[in-house]
Amino acid sequence: MNGGAPVQNKNINQEQDGGILLHEKRLTVRYFMLSFAIGFLLLSVSAMLVVLFIPPQMEIGEAQMNTADGLSYLPSNQEALNLLLVVEPGGEEERVYALLRFDPARGQVPVAVLPAGTLFGAAGRLATLESAYDYAGIRRAAAQIGEALGISIDRYLQLKAQDAAELVDQLGGVLYRVKKRMIFESPGAQTVLEPGPRQLSGSLFGEVLAYSFPGGALERSSMLGSLIASLINEHSDLLLTAEADTVFQSLVNRANTNISALDYQQRKAAARFMARLSPDGAFSVTLSGSGENTYGTFSLSEECCRQLATIFSPLPERL
């Protein structure tokens, strides 16, 4: 009988050891489940904070966007493009000379409407923008602006006022903030635009382009620059739809331009990026200078020339 006692004690010890191991395993499982629950809770809270505090426009990322081929798009100076837009009036009105820059790197489209009498060139060989255009056409006018400001004018687009009006109607008009009372006279009719936001049809858009502003060249530059910028901003979301290709085709078919389908395709992702990120990226550049009423000429100030050169030049690369 004494010989059986150690066996019984051994069994008891084994049961105790097994119980301890089982208890430890249960504790391990509990700690794992607790850690998992805490981690999941923290992850859920982080996700809620992202949804609550990141603005909707940041959903695609502030500096990149996925393109159709699955790659990420980053804006660069390579897609930037300077354009000279000239709108030909239907009568004796002054032409519209607008310098625009498609600038994805900055996320903006500056619009500078230059007076027709703007003088460019070296001393003793000054010529107005209008005379350069009359003498050798839009290419010469673009070259004269580029040489004077030290920038490149990459493309040009020449459009008749009637075609511009039809294009505005195709887009559905434009909301324009009238600053001063405007009166348009036509045979047997008078149209009055009171100050405030006004929805312009294509024909009224053309009337504003041809309007003789009482404040002279600088007021005309500011008002028409704002009008063109408003048109771009209001319809920038069109770039996110399938209609963008149709509108582009309609524009180039109406115009005399060296903008190609390849130019459009190469900048399509950049244009969509800008439309999502900064739908109000177009703005009017304020000019400064002095005019000569006798000859109808206008001289940009040196500060204004430097400002235009900066705005219409590539964004400096980061080191």
Side-chain angles (χ1 to χ4, degrees), residues 49-62 276-277:
L49 291 175
V50 169
V51 172
L52 290 173
F53 293 103
I54 293 184
Q57 64 267 27
M58 297 292 289
E59 291 178 0
I60 61 167
E62 185 170 297
R276 289 179 183 272
L277 189 64

Side-chain angles (χ1 to χ4, degrees), residues 95-297:
R95 293 187 184 100
V96 177
Y97 297 92
L99 186 60
L100 298 89
R101 179 174 177 81
F102 176 72
D103 197 341
R106 291 186 175 97
Q108 62 186 30
V109 181
V111 181
V113 174
L114 301 171
T118 303
L119 291 168
F120 291 110
R125 297 181 58 186
L126 292 175
T128 65
L129 183 56
E130 185 89 335
S131 63
Y133 185 91
D134 288 336
Y135 178 73
I138 193 170
R139 292 173 184 260
R140 179 56 200 155
Q144 185 162 310
I145 296 171
E147 291 169 6
L149 299 178
I151 62 175
S152 63
I153 309 297
D154 307 294
R155 299 290 185 270
Y156 62 82
L157 192 145
Q158 181 185 29
L159 199 62
K160 293 181 180 178
Q162 180 59 38
D163 289 325
E166 291 175 2
L167 184 63
V168 170
D169 280 334
Q170 181 181 347
L171 292 172
V174 57
L175 185 64
Y176 177 60
R177 183 170 293 279
V178 178
K179 294 186 177 181
K180 296 180 182 179
R181 194 169 192 254
M182 303 175 73
I183 301 176
F184 306 101
E185 302 283 356
S186 59
Q190 184 185 77
T191 303
V192 178
L193 286 180
E194 298 292 348
R198 297 287 179 262
Q199 184 70 25
L200 303 185
S201 63
S203 60
L204 275 176
F205 180 87
E207 293 279 7
V208 174
L209 289 182
Y211 188 70
S212 179
F213 290 89
L218 288 179
E219 183 183 9
R220 183 174 188 268
S221 170
S222 176
M223 293 298 99
L224 297 190
S226 297
L227 177 61
I228 295 172
S230 296
L231 181 66
I232 295 171
N233 289 333
E234 185 173 340
H235 299 288
S236 63
D237 59 348
L238 184 69
L239 294 164
L240 306 176
T241 70
E243 296 180 34
D245 295 351
T246 302
V247 173
F248 170 77
Q249 193 64 46
S250 177
L251 174 62
V252 296
N253 286 344
R254 296 173 186 273
N256 168 32
T257 181
N258 60 350
I259 299 175
S260 67
L262 181 61
D263 291 329
Y264 171 70
Q265 291 298 334
Q266 288 178 337
R267 290 165 176 82
K268 199 171 182 179
R272 289 171 59 85
F273 173 84
M274 290 176 63
R276 289 179 183 272
L277 189 64
S278 52
D280 296 326
F283 65 94
S284 176
V285 178
T286 301
L287 304 184
S288 62
S290 57
E292 172 54 61
N293 294 330
T294 304
Y295 301 101
T297 58

Side-chain angles (χ1 to χ4, degrees), residues 68-118:
D69 56 7
L71 300 177
S72 293
Y73 167 76
L74 291 174
S76 70
N77 285 326
Q78 295 180 351
E79 289 128 339
L81 182 146
N82 287 337
L83 169 75
L84 176 61
L85 167 67
V86 177
V87 181
E88 293 276 2
E92 298 299 321
E93 296 87 1
E94 186 177 320
R95 293 187 184 100
V96 177
Y97 297 92
L99 186 60
L100 298 89
R101 179 174 177 81
F102 176 72
D103 197 341
R106 291 186 175 97
Q108 62 186 30
V109 181
V111 181
V113 174
L114 301 171
T118 303

